[in-house]
Amino acid sequence: MPSIDLHTVVPGPRSRAIFAERTKHVAPGPFHTTPIVAAKAQGATITDVDGNTFLDFACGIGVTNLGHAEPTVVAAAKEQADKFFHTSINVVAYEGYVEVAKRLNERAPGRFAKKTFLVNSGAEAVENAIKFARAFTKRQAVICFEHAFHGRTYLAMALTAKANPYKSGFGPFPSEIYRAPFPDFYRWPGVGDGTPVCPGKLPCSLSRCLCREAFARFEEIAHADIGETNVAAVIIEPVAGEGGFIPAPAPFLQMLREWCDRHGVVLIFDEIQTGFGRTGTLFACEQAGVTPDLLVLAKGLANGLPLSAVVGKAEVIDAVGVGGVGGTYSGNPVACAAALAVMDKFDEPKTLEHARALGEILEARLEAWSRKFPQIGQHRGLGPMRAIELVKDRTTKEPDKAAAAALVKHNYEHGVITLSCGTHGNVLRFLIPLVASADQLNEGLDVIEAGLAAAR
Ligand SMILES: Cc1ncc(COP(=O)(O)O)c(C=O)c1O
């Protein structure tokens, strides 16, 4: 039986009425990708207040990786809600926080003593990771990358690359933030139409090793603009998320690791979007074989309840003294209970096996689309975290933001919720529920393929 009705009327009358109230009463700042108003959600689908059912290929921006209303996660949260909502870890401790920390320390890569600090949002975790790194190194500078998205609070916003709409009009920003080129080889200087595929390991077999070029640019900035001994931290997303689903090749991450070791710099991986199975492994860095000093997590950690974490080397986390970090709601008990159930699910091998199988279906379909639709400049990704970049012309690679927006609209009007991304807004990203069936995935992809065919 199909999951969706291809003849949905979007927005329906009830959704339109609620949106009219939203316009009157709610700050206009938060964007809305669709005019849909949710009534309930289950697994890979969302049903709106007008009775339309949609496949959710956005997962609330990569959060509900285990699907909506995952029964064990809901049961765990309900059980904790019956006991208590909140005591504040700063006042009266509770076991859930301790257990989440212990289990994240066990699951995060790295054979060294680890500790974990919990907060609420991704941006808050990023900010705290920088605090730990600065306290540990007693240095100030932070190197981030082009295409980065690290959040919307002031320090996180300063680390974020995309000026519009995230930064314009909000300056001044915190200082001591430096930006290096991200290894985006589709748009790398001097690289033409036939983007060389990075072999993913060193020594590089390509006549021109772009990882080395990207790393040389990074090294030059670190040396000439900042001075290595002033650098506290390097922060990078192993797959640039909001920036366009661009995987950083493993050799580049390995070079960063070696450089950080050489210069006593804390390497931070922001795995807020790539974590919890999004790329087919619990954390994306496992696939690159590179261990960060600090791992920043949020989104999928509690499958929809607000919870984020900084997990990493005990000596770095221990550098902040009592009272130096914290927060009233940090590590909420209900969110911690949900996170423990999430981790139980990911401990079952079939969860990640299924995620990887979906990734393979997705990759094969996107590869076929690339051959068929000239508006796809590149398809790329890691495991099930995949995207297509839409361009006006394959040779000039001129970004086609309007095409991405039109495709997102076509998709939800035909029952599939998707999101765009990319520094130029021209990328369609797939944040599929990792519990979707192969049939649901293909059903949604058929809808999107029809949209691409109509736009050709
Ligand atoms: C890689 C990355 N870092 C940080 C953030 C910010 O997280 P939050 O919106 O929870 O503050 C996001 C959110 O999309 C993200 O994708």
Side-chain angles (χ1 to χ4, degrees):
M1 208 184 99
S3 305
I4 49 174
D5 173 4
L6 293 180
H7 305 287
T8 48
V9 180
V10 180
R14 182 95 191 96
S15 301
R16 271 205 304 273
I18 294 171
F19 256 86
E21 290 291 291
R22 172 179 167 152
T23 308
K24 247 192 272 170
H25 301 294
V26 179
F31 67 84
H32 59 275
T33 302
T34 74
I36 299 165
V37 181
K40 61 178 195 278
Q42 183 73 52
T45 62
I46 294 179
T47 302
D48 78 359
V49 289
D50 295 292
N52 299 305
T53 297
F54 302 84
L55 278 167
D56 181 7
F57 283 9
C59 281
I61 326 185
V63 171
T64 51
N65 293 359
L66 293 176
H68 293 286
E70 203 294 321
T72 60
V73 178
V74 172
K78 278 184 175 164
E79 196 185 323
Q80 178 57 45
D82 278 340
K83 291 180 190 155
F84 57 91
F85 269 13
H86 176 78
T87 58
S88 183
I89 194 68
N90 301 123
V91 184
V92 175
Y94 39 92
E95 204 176 346
Y97 188 119
V98 179
E99 193 60 23
V100 168
K102 182 173 161 213
R103 289 175 64 180
L104 284 175
N105 294 342
E106 287 164 1
R107 279 156 188 75
R111 288 169 197 264
F112 40 75
K114 290 180 216 117
K115 284 194 179 164
T116 284
F117 170 66
L118 299 179
V119 260
N120 304 293
S121 71
E124 205 184 350
V126 166
E127 300 250 347
N128 280 286
I130 304 296
K131 285 170 77 171
F132 287 120
R134 283 180 169 161
F136 176 70
T137 58
K138 302 189 171 47
R139 303 172 181 178
Q140 296 182 358
V142 179
I143 307 181
C144 55
F145 290 85
E146 287 170 357
H147 301 304
F149 185 85
H150 296 295
R152 293 168 177 280
T153 51
Y154 262 90
L155 178 53
M157 183 169 46
L159 295 167
T160 289
K162 196 167 163 177
N164 288 302
Y166 301 132
K167 299 169 78 168
S168 285
F170 298 137
F173 301 107
S175 60
E176 289 305 317
I177 307 291
Y178 300 86
R179 196 171 304 283
F182 190 87
D184 170 14
F185 300 148
Y186 178 60
R187 293 182 180 280
W188 198 252
V191 172
D193 197 11
T195 313
V197 177
C198 175
K201 56 181 189 302
L202 290 170
C204 184
S205 53
L206 296 176
S207 55
R208 189 179 159 197
C209 174
L210 299 180
C211 287
R212 283 200 194 287
E213 282 184 25
F215 180 67
R217 300 268 302 274
F218 166 87
E219 258 191 320
E220 180 60 14
I221 289 166
H223 181 71
D225 294 3
I226 316 166
E228 292 86 345
T229 53
N230 296 316
V231 183
V234 172
I235 182 166
I236 189 166
E237 297 159 77
V239 181
E242 174 62 27
F245 276 32
I246 313 165
F252 181 77
L253 295 176
Q254 284 156 14
M255 287 183 230
L256 282 186
R257 175 70 276 175
E258 282 159 21
W259 185 90
C260 285
D261 287 342
R262 214 162 46 242
H263 297 289
V265 173
V266 174
L267 179 61
I268 304 171
F269 281 176
D270 178 344
E271 290 235 28
I272 287 168
Q273 194 160 164
T274 52
F276 290 90
R278 181 49 59 198
T279 67
T281 43
L282 193 59
F283 307 116
C285 63
E286 295 169 45
Q287 295 182 57
V290 180
T291 303
D293 299 305
L294 297 179
L295 187 61
V296 186
L297 304 168
K299 291 196 188 278
L301 170 58
N303 209 49
L305 286 175
L307 187 67
S308 60
V310 184
V311 186
K313 275 193 176 148
E315 55 182 325
V316 180
I317 302 272
D318 284 344
V320 173
V322 174
V325 291
T328 306
Y329 296 110
S330 305
N332 172 269
V334 181
C336 284
L340 292 173
V342 166
M343 284 192 264
D344 284 344
K345 269 278 162 217
F346 278 104
D347 284 347
E348 295 171 18
K350 64 176 191 248
T351 305
L352 287 170
E353 280 162 19
H354 185 70
R356 286 193 284 271
L358 293 181
E360 281 165 24
I361 296 173
L362 189 54
E363 185 177 10
R365 295 272 318 246
L366 301 192
E367 171 61 26
W369 290 0
S370 293
R371 278 185 257 113
K372 206 160 144 187
F373 301 117
Q375 68 266 45
I376 297 180
Q378 191 186 47
H379 77 91
R380 57 178 175 247
L382 192 63
M385 182 173 179
R386 302 213 152 256
I388 49 176
E389 172 151 1
L390 301 175
V391 291
K392 291 186 181 160
D393 179 298
R394 274 196 175 166
T395 310
T396 64
K397 301 179 184 175
E398 190 185 338
D400 198 344
K401 183 178 176 174
L407 191 54
V408 167
K409 185 166 186 291
H410 160 91
N411 296 341
Y412 70 71
E413 284 179 348
H414 294 82
V416 184
I417 298 168
T418 53
L419 282 171
S420 61
C421 68
T423 299
H424 305 291
N426 63 322
V427 178
L428 186 83
R429 58 173 146 173
F430 296 88
L431 286 165
I432 55 172
L434 304 178
V435 295
S437 67
D439 284 350
Q440 285 176 318
L441 176 58
N442 278 313
E443 193 184 357
L445 294 177
D446 289 346
V447 166
I448 301 166
E449 182 169 343
L452 285 163
R456 190 167 30 168

